Structures are given as C-alpha cells and as structure tokens.
Amino acid sequence: QVQLVESGGGLVQPGGSLRLSCAASGTIYTIYAMGWYRQAPGKQRELVARITSRGSTNYADSVKGRFTISRDNAKNTVYLQMDSLKPEDTAVYYCNADISSAPYRAQIGYWGQGTQVTVSS
C-alpha cells in the first residue's frame, strides 16, 4: 500500500508565493517520475510540472518561469515552489507518483488527495 500526502496549500494574494510538499510512504521499492497536476472548477485536470528520478523536469507553459519542481529522493518527497502567483492559478493541486513496490514489479501511478490553492486579494 502506498500513500501520497500533500501539504502547503492555502490562500495567498496575487504576486505571492506558496510551497507545496508531497511525501510518499508505504511499500516502496522505486519511485520513478513525480509530478503536480491541478484542476480548477469546471475544467479538466492538467499537468503543472513533472520531474523524473534523474531530475529532468518539464512544465506547463502557463507556469514556466514562476513555478519550480524539485524532489528529495531520500525523503520520497516532491516539492512545488510557486512564485508570482496569479488568480488563474487557483485550483486543487494533486501530487502524482509512479511507484513500484517490489523488484521486477510494474510501476503504478498513485495520486494524493489534493490541496486547495486560492489566489485572491
């Protein structure tokens, strides 16, 4: 059993910053890519940023230059530093990780429960 627990969401004014964290726990052998997605009301869930086990990253065009994804492999944790936040960044942010629980076992995509980020004055 694997769990992803997010933290760090909240209410922030436009131009402000937040840092999201997501820690994976449980029966973990290898964590492959980790990422953050978001879903605004009435919209589909979209990729925000993703990072491979070797540290390669990719970002949605809408957040490039403002958000930074990183990970601490020793802590099984991925972070999302969000700067220069805009009202359109308001959404529920979900953590995702591709994890295998034993050698030679296929990786499975796991999701966190989501954390609300609201950007408003």
Side-chain angles (χ1 to χ4, degrees), residues 34-51:
M34 305 182 81
W36 291 94
Y37 293 71
R38 67 186 181 187
Q39 188 167 19
K43 294 187 176 182
Q44 290 188 333
R45 190 174 298 189
E46 63 176 1
L47 172 69
V48 176
R50 199 154 175 84
I51 184 168

mmCIF file of all heavy atoms in Angstrom, residues 34-51:
data_model
loop_
_atom_site.group_PDB
_atom_site.id
_atom_site.type_symbol
_atom_site.label_atom_id
_atom_site.label_comp_id
_atom_site.label_asym_id
_atom_site.label_seq_id
_atom_site.Cartn_x
_atom_site.Cartn_y
_atom_site.Cartn_z
ATOM 1 N N MET A 34 7.706 11.910 -10.631
ATOM 2 C CA MET A 34 6.754 12.523 -9.700
ATOM 3 C C MET A 34 6.283 13.826 -10.316
ATOM 4 O O MET A 34 7.027 14.456 -11.091
ATOM 5 C CB MET A 34 7.395 12.780 -8.338
ATOM 6 C CG MET A 34 8.011 11.559 -7.689
ATOM 7 S SD MET A 34 8.712 11.883 -6.067
ATOM 8 C CE MET A 34 7.234 11.824 -5.040
ATOM 9 N N GLY A 35 5.078 14.220 -9.974
ATOM 10 C CA GLY A 35 4.585 15.439 -10.597
ATOM 11 C C GLY A 35 3.437 16.067 -9.853
ATOM 12 O O GLY A 35 2.923 15.526 -8.874
ATOM 13 N N TRP A 36 3.076 17.249 -10.334
ATOM 14 C CA TRP A 36 1.940 18.001 -9.810
ATOM 15 C C TRP A 36 0.964 18.300 -10.946
ATOM 16 O O TRP A 36 1.374 18.701 -12.037
ATOM 17 C CB TRP A 36 2.412 19.317 -9.183
ATOM 18 C CG TRP A 36 3.192 19.128 -7.933
ATOM 19 C CD1 TRP A 36 4.548 19.044 -7.807
ATOM 20 C CD2 TRP A 36 2.659 18.996 -6.615
ATOM 21 N NE1 TRP A 36 4.896 18.855 -6.497
ATOM 22 C CE2 TRP A 36 3.755 18.837 -5.733
ATOM 23 C CE3 TRP A 36 1.372 19.008 -6.078
ATOM 24 C CZ2 TRP A 36 3.594 18.678 -4.358
ATOM 25 C CZ3 TRP A 36 1.208 18.856 -4.717
ATOM 26 C CH2 TRP A 36 2.322 18.698 -3.868
ATOM 27 N N TYR A 37 -0.301 18.096 -10.652
ATOM 28 C CA TYR A 37 -1.386 18.415 -11.555
ATOM 29 C C TYR A 37 -2.344 19.342 -10.821
ATOM 30 O O TYR A 37 -2.299 19.440 -9.598
ATOM 31 C CB TYR A 37 -2.121 17.148 -11.990
ATOM 32 C CG TYR A 37 -1.308 16.223 -12.855
ATOM 33 C CD1 TYR A 37 -0.247 15.493 -12.331
ATOM 34 C CD2 TYR A 37 -1.585 16.075 -14.212
ATOM 35 C CE1 TYR A 37 0.516 14.650 -13.127
ATOM 36 C CE2 TYR A 37 -0.844 15.229 -15.018
ATOM 37 C CZ TYR A 37 0.209 14.516 -14.467
ATOM 38 O OH TYR A 37 0.952 13.688 -15.261
ATOM 39 N N ARG A 38 -3.204 20.014 -11.562
ATOM 40 C CA ARG A 38 -4.207 20.856 -10.917
ATOM 41 C C ARG A 38 -5.521 20.796 -11.666
ATOM 42 O O ARG A 38 -5.558 20.512 -12.857
ATOM 43 C CB ARG A 38 -3.717 22.305 -10.819
ATOM 44 C CG ARG A 38 -3.575 23.026 -12.146
ATOM 45 C CD ARG A 38 -2.948 24.411 -11.936
ATOM 46 N NE ARG A 38 -2.809 25.147 -13.195
ATOM 47 C CZ ARG A 38 -2.170 26.307 -13.304
ATOM 48 N NH1 ARG A 38 -1.596 26.860 -12.219
ATOM 49 N NH2 ARG A 38 -2.076 26.904 -14.472
ATOM 50 N N GLN A 39 -6.575 21.066 -10.922
ATOM 51 C CA GLN A 39 -7.909 21.072 -11.505
ATOM 52 C C GLN A 39 -8.703 22.241 -10.949
ATOM 53 O O GLN A 39 -8.951 22.299 -9.737
ATOM 54 C CB GLN A 39 -8.635 19.765 -11.236
ATOM 55 C CG GLN A 39 -9.948 19.631 -11.972
ATOM 56 C CD GLN A 39 -10.481 18.210 -11.940
ATOM 57 O OE1 GLN A 39 -10.085 17.390 -11.111
ATOM 58 N NE2 GLN A 39 -11.384 17.899 -12.853
ATOM 59 N N ALA A 40 -9.068 23.143 -11.823
ATOM 60 C CA ALA A 40 -9.892 24.286 -11.451
ATOM 61 C C ALA A 40 -11.355 23.917 -11.649
ATOM 62 O O ALA A 40 -11.678 23.013 -12.432
ATOM 63 C CB ALA A 40 -9.524 25.491 -12.302
ATOM 64 N N PRO A 41 -12.272 24.602 -10.976
ATOM 65 C CA PRO A 41 -13.699 24.296 -11.122
ATOM 66 C C PRO A 41 -14.147 24.360 -12.574
ATOM 67 O O PRO A 41 -13.859 25.326 -13.278
ATOM 68 C CB PRO A 41 -14.371 25.382 -10.283
ATOM 69 C CG PRO A 41 -13.353 25.765 -9.268
ATOM 70 C CD PRO A 41 -12.030 25.656 -9.976
ATOM 71 N N GLY A 42 -14.814 23.302 -13.018
ATOM 72 C CA GLY A 42 -15.329 23.260 -14.376
ATOM 73 C C GLY A 42 -14.313 22.964 -15.446
ATOM 74 O O GLY A 42 -14.646 23.010 -16.644
ATOM 75 N N LYS A 43 -13.087 22.657 -15.031
ATOM 76 C CA LYS A 43 -12.033 22.378 -16.009
ATOM 77 C C LYS A 43 -11.452 20.986 -15.786
ATOM 78 O O LYS A 43 -11.599 20.394 -14.724
ATOM 79 C CB LYS A 43 -10.931 23.426 -15.916
ATOM 80 C CG LYS A 43 -11.376 24.824 -16.315
ATOM 81 C CD LYS A 43 -10.196 25.779 -16.371
ATOM 82 C CE LYS A 43 -10.606 27.148 -16.852
ATOM 83 N NZ LYS A 43 -9.439 28.079 -16.948
ATOM 84 N N GLN A 44 -10.758 20.489 -16.802
ATOM 85 C CA GLN A 44 -10.110 19.185 -16.681
ATOM 86 C C GLN A 44 -8.812 19.316 -15.892
ATOM 87 O O GLN A 44 -8.199 20.383 -15.834
ATOM 88 C CB GLN A 44 -9.823 18.624 -18.079
ATOM 89 C CG GLN A 44 -11.058 18.206 -18.852
ATOM 90 C CD GLN A 44 -10.702 17.476 -20.140
ATOM 91 O OE1 GLN A 44 -9.638 17.679 -20.716
ATOM 92 N NE2 GLN A 44 -11.598 16.623 -20.592
ATOM 93 N N ARG A 45 -8.417 18.208 -15.300
ATOM 94 C CA ARG A 45 -7.137 18.177 -14.601
ATOM 95 C C ARG A 45 -6.017 18.333 -15.631
ATOM 96 O O ARG A 45 -6.040 17.721 -16.704
ATOM 97 C CB ARG A 45 -6.979 16.860 -13.843
ATOM 98 C CG ARG A 45 -5.800 16.824 -12.900
ATOM 99 C CD ARG A 45 -5.793 15.551 -12.073
ATOM 100 N NE ARG A 45 -6.973 15.448 -11.220
ATOM 101 C CZ ARG A 45 -7.129 14.514 -10.281
ATOM 102 N NH1 ARG A 45 -6.180 13.608 -10.084
ATOM 103 N NH2 ARG A 45 -8.226 14.471 -9.566
ATOM 104 N N GLU A 46 -5.017 19.168 -15.273
ATOM 105 C CA GLU A 46 -3.928 19.430 -16.203
ATOM 106 C C GLU A 46 -2.586 19.284 -15.511
ATOM 107 O O GLU A 46 -2.459 19.501 -14.306
ATOM 108 C CB GLU A 46 -4.043 20.850 -16.785
ATOM 109 C CG GLU A 46 -3.936 21.955 -15.760
ATOM 110 C CD GLU A 46 -3.947 23.348 -16.376
ATOM 111 O OE1 GLU A 46 -4.062 23.474 -17.611
ATOM 112 O OE2 GLU A 46 -3.829 24.315 -15.595
ATOM 113 N N LEU A 47 -1.577 18.944 -16.312
ATOM 114 C CA LEU A 47 -0.229 18.834 -15.795
ATOM 115 C C LEU A 47 0.309 20.219 -15.464
ATOM 116 O O LEU A 47 0.187 21.148 -16.270
ATOM 117 C CB LEU A 47 0.682 18.169 -16.823
ATOM 118 C CG LEU A 47 2.174 18.152 -16.500
ATOM 119 C CD1 LEU A 47 2.459 17.232 -15.317
ATOM 120 C CD2 LEU A 47 2.984 17.740 -17.719
ATOM 121 N N VAL A 48 0.929 20.346 -14.301
ATOM 122 C CA VAL A 48 1.617 21.583 -13.928
ATOM 123 C C VAL A 48 3.121 21.420 -14.128
ATOM 124 O O VAL A 48 3.766 22.213 -14.801
ATOM 125 C CB VAL A 48 1.329 21.965 -12.470
ATOM 126 C CG1 VAL A 48 2.131 23.202 -12.068
ATOM 127 C CG2 VAL A 48 -0.168 22.194 -12.256
ATOM 128 N N ALA A 49 3.674 20.376 -13.526
ATOM 129 C CA ALA A 49 5.112 20.130 -13.621
ATOM 130 C C ALA A 49 5.385 18.674 -13.283
ATOM 131 O O ALA A 49 4.632 18.049 -12.534
ATOM 132 C CB ALA A 49 5.891 21.039 -12.672
ATOM 133 N N ARG A 50 6.490 18.177 -13.857
ATOM 134 C CA ARG A 50 6.844 16.791 -13.638
ATOM 135 C C ARG A 50 8.361 16.682 -13.550
ATOM 136 O O ARG A 50 9.080 17.449 -14.217
ATOM 137 C CB ARG A 50 6.303 15.916 -14.769
ATOM 138 C CG ARG A 50 6.208 14.442 -14.454
ATOM 139 C CD ARG A 50 5.133 13.773 -15.281
ATOM 140 N NE ARG A 50 5.100 12.328 -15.089
ATOM 141 C CZ ARG A 50 4.449 11.742 -14.088
ATOM 142 N NH1 ARG A 50 3.809 12.462 -13.211
ATOM 143 N NH2 ARG A 50 4.441 10.419 -13.992
ATOM 144 N N ILE A 51 8.846 15.714 -12.739
ATOM 145 C CA ILE A 51 10.282 15.539 -12.571
ATOM 146 C C ILE A 51 10.597 14.047 -12.564
ATOM 147 O O ILE A 51 9.916 13.266 -11.895
ATOM 148 C CB ILE A 51 10.786 16.234 -11.279
ATOM 149 C CG1 ILE A 51 12.300 16.129 -11.152
ATOM 150 C CG2 ILE A 51 10.083 15.704 -10.033
ATOM 151 C CD1 ILE A 51 12.883 17.041 -10.068
#
